[in-house]
Amino acid sequence: MSKITFLGAGSTIFAKNVLGDCMLTPSVQGFEFALYDIDLQRLKDSENMLENLKKSLGSHVTVKSYTDRKEALKGAKYVVNAIQVGGYKPSTVIDFDIPKKYGLRQTIGDTIGIGGIFRSLRTIPVMLDFAKDMEEVCPDAWFLNYTNPMASLTGTMLRYTGIKTVGLCHSVQAAVPDLFKSLNMDYDDVQWKIAGINHLAWLLEVSKDGEDLYPEIKKRAALKQQEQHDDMVRFELMNRFGYYVTESSEHNAEYHPYFIKNNYPELIEKFNIPIDEYPRRCVEQIEDWEKMREDVVNNQNLSHKRTHEYASYMIEAMETDQPFRIHGNVLNTGGLISNLPANAVVEVPCLVDRNGVNPCYVGDLPGQLAALNRTNINTQLLTIEAAMTGKREHIYQAAMLDPHTGSELSIDDIISLCDELIEAHGEMLPNFKREESFV
């Protein structure tokens, strides 16, 4: 029996989306869905939910929970990763509260920025443990990574393990439809091209019947900027740099040095930036889950429609050899984006078939877009270096080169902040050596 293993299966709603999609995929019938999570109650909840969903959809799969990770992985053909190391408490609270003491404010804190750096540092060791188990019990499996920080985690797996890995995010497939909806434009038959890095990929081309739609997009966006809305940062970036970015404004507000600034507090209101959005979202999700738990977990009439998450379509393409196009996060091997570093993870079109994930060549990004991507790549690469060497020096450097952190804090404050975060996270982080030059 072929097996799909879901690591972090206690994320019940996401497990419903991904594995519910797979239940609706004909080529996956007969598979085992192996569920693993360190939260045993949430694991049981997801198992109950999926059993109910299986019955209501008439799917012919086997759902099984595991408390032994290696057993869950044994013989897997595909592994879906959706973990969060440290959770809301204590880790997310630490990532937001300590930087606030230094005047450093964040919105999401899960990609780069000081929050993204420390989320990477506590997640990379767990990912390497996954890889070690997989190399022993399912060395040929595909690792489908949905966990953030996407570029740092996927890059670590691809550079330092033998596991076939691709990073998956839904920001690309949602970007253009959401843009057109927000501007009251017709999306039917629109063609587009997107490439860059995760959460900072760019709508390079957008057309319909051979007509470039960017002039109309920019015209409507400029009019919309006259009133507050949820995409003001993205529209400002498009206005200044010429292209629309895939990920949301609350994310992009902290990927650049322009929007969250203590010396210019009026920018928060001007660009409608939701400070502390991720902690607030966590609290709301916890409260909502408790309210809806019975409706989801024990609902024997639970229904599902296939979502736009890539996992089931990828598995179907590999199983049937019917190609499917995704935008995957892969190493920039061979200069897929020729003006970005070879050891960076880029988000580019990929064709998936029985041969696996086949990235497509993009070439040069416009110079200003490559430059913006490199500011984030610098921090990503140094964060990986820190995790793999255990040297605090590289944590400091990653933070100093982070566009938001570096624009707000002095070098001494950045080092002090990093040291305080290392101490606060404690056993969540590896033991980092102190470099004499930074003591």
Side-chain angles (χ1 to χ4, degrees):
M1 182 184 294
S2 296
K3 180 191 282 190
I4 300 171
T5 299
F6 198 112
L7 301 173
S11 179
T12 304
I13 299 302
F14 192 65
K16 177 181 183 289
N17 288 342
V18 172
L19 295 180
D21 288 352
C22 290
M23 287 183 186
L24 294 170
T25 304
S27 58
V28 177
Q29 302 310 303
F31 272 57
E32 176 188 333
F33 292 176
L35 313 180
Y36 175 79
D37 201 286
I38 60 174
D39 186 326
L40 299 185
Q41 180 58 58
R42 293 298 295 265
L43 179 63
K44 184 64 176 176
D45 286 346
S46 290
E47 182 183 21
N48 290 343
M49 178 273 296
L50 289 167
E51 286 286 3
N52 288 331
L53 192 60
K54 169 188 165 181
K55 292 175 185 176
S56 66
L57 296 177
S59 180
H60 301 289
V61 299
T62 300
V63 178
K64 185 176 179 180
S65 290
Y66 291 82
T67 55
D68 184 310
R69 187 177 69 207
K70 194 176 290 187
E71 284 299 312
L73 288 167
K74 189 175 182 179
K77 199 169 184 180
Y78 307 98
V79 178
V80 178
N81 180 52
I83 65 168
Q84 183 183 355
V85 177
Y88 169 58
K89 288 183 178 180
S91 295
T92 296
V93 172
I94 291 171
D95 285 345
F96 276 76
D97 284 357
I98 292 178
K100 280 182 193 174
K101 292 165 50 180
Y102 292 79
L104 189 64
R105 296 173 294 171
Q106 301 171 90
T107 54
I108 305 294
D110 75 344
T111 301
I112 63 164
I114 202 69
I117 291 169
F118 278 84
R119 183 180 280 226
S120 290
L121 293 174
R122 63 179 180 267
T123 308
I124 285 173
V126 178
M127 299 279 279
L128 294 175
D129 283 345
F130 290 170
K132 184 178 179 181
D133 284 352
M134 290 179 66
E135 286 165 351
E136 181 180 341
V137 300
C138 58
D140 296 323
W142 272 96
F143 189 81
L144 311 182
N145 179 48
Y146 277 100
T147 297
N148 285 325
M150 179 61 65
S152 300
L153 302 184
T154 303
T156 301
M157 292 291 285
L158 288 168
R159 290 171 57 196
Y160 292 98
T161 81
I163 299 302
K164 295 181 293 188
T165 302
V166 61
L168 304 176
C169 179
H170 48 239
S171 63
V172 172
Q173 57 264 50
V176 181
D178 287 353
L179 171 64
F180 276 61
K181 183 179 179 181
S182 73
L183 297 177
N184 296 315
M185 294 177 68
D186 179 16
Y187 178 66
D188 291 343
D189 301 319
V190 170
Q191 294 178 299
W192 47 266
K193 177 182 178 182
I194 286 175
I197 63 174
N198 181 240
H199 287 190
L200 205 56
W202 306 98
L203 180 59
L204 300 174
E205 299 173 7
V206 56
S207 63
K208 182 174 182 177
D209 299 326
E211 178 187 358
D212 180 10
L213 296 180
Y214 250 131
E216 182 65 19
I217 289 170
K218 292 177 180 178
K219 176 183 175 182
R220 295 191 185 206
L223 290 173
K224 190 164 185 176
Q225 288 291 76
Q226 295 175 14
E227 299 179 1
Q228 278 208 339
H229 58 90
D230 291 337
D231 254 348
M232 301 196 75
V233 169
R234 289 162 102 183
F235 284 8
E236 178 72 359
L237 289 169
M238 179 169 62
N239 179 44
R240 302 300 181 178
F241 291 92
Y243 295 83
Y244 187 67
V245 68
T246 51
E247 190 47 81
S248 61
S249 284
E250 62 260 29
H251 276 280
N252 266 278
E254 61 185 11
Y255 298 165
H256 309 277
Y258 316 119
F259 301 106
I260 305 174
K261 303 187 74 64
N262 284 326
N263 289 340
Y264 300 93
E266 67 274 12
L267 294 177
I268 302 300
E269 182 177 356
K270 177 180 179 180
F271 290 106
N272 196 25
I273 297 170
I275 298 297
D276 291 336
E277 171 66 14
Y278 186 69
R280 183 164 53 248
R281 192 179 297 174
C282 288
V283 171
E284 291 173 356
Q285 287 174 346
I286 292 168
E287 292 175 350
D288 288 346
W289 172 247
E290 292 304 321
K291 294 174 184 176
M292 66 183 283
R293 186 171 176 272
E294 284 302 311
D295 293 335
V296 174
V297 173
N298 297 318
N299 182 358
Q300 297 191 17
N301 297 311
L302 193 62
S303 62
H304 182 74
K305 293 182 179 180
R306 204 168 179 183
T307 72
H308 62 195
E309 298 293 352
Y310 282 139
S312 69
Y313 299 97
M314 291 181 63
I315 293 170
E316 184 175 37
M318 292 185 193
E319 291 295 311
T320 65
D321 204 29
Q322 294 297 310
F324 184 80
R325 190 189 80 159
I326 68 167
H327 280 73
N329 288 271
V330 297
L331 267 187
N332 196 29
T333 307
L336 297 169
I337 298 181
S338 42
N339 52 353
L340 294 182
N343 58 349
V345 166
V346 292
E347 195 166 63
V348 296
C350 303
L351 287 180
V352 184
D353 57 20
R354 190 156 285 158
N355 294 315
V357 178
N358 310 286
C360 300
Y361 176 78
V362 173
D364 275 1
L365 295 180
Q368 72 276 22
L369 306 185
L372 285 172
N373 281 167
R374 286 193 292 264
T375 66
N376 282 230
I377 288 169
N378 293 335
T379 294
Q380 293 163 359
L381 294 181
L382 280 163
T383 301
I384 295 172
E385 192 74 10
M388 299 308 297
T389 63
K391 292 184 178 179
R392 289 188 183 221
E393 175 181 357
H394 296 311
I395 303 178
Y396 303 149
Q397 292 162 349
M400 287 187 283
L401 288 170
D402 172 66
H404 178 212
T405 307
S407 71
E408 287 290 278
L409 303 185
S410 69
I411 288 177
D412 286 344
D413 279 349
I414 290 172
I415 292 171
S416 178
L417 169 60
C418 289
D419 285 340
E420 193 168 342
L421 283 166
I422 292 168
E423 183 177 352
H425 281 297
E427 294 182 359
M428 286 287 178
L429 296 180
N431 292 323
F432 286 94
K433 300 176 182 176
R434 280 191 176 274
E435 299 297 311
E436 287 189 8
S437 58
F438 288 89
V439 173

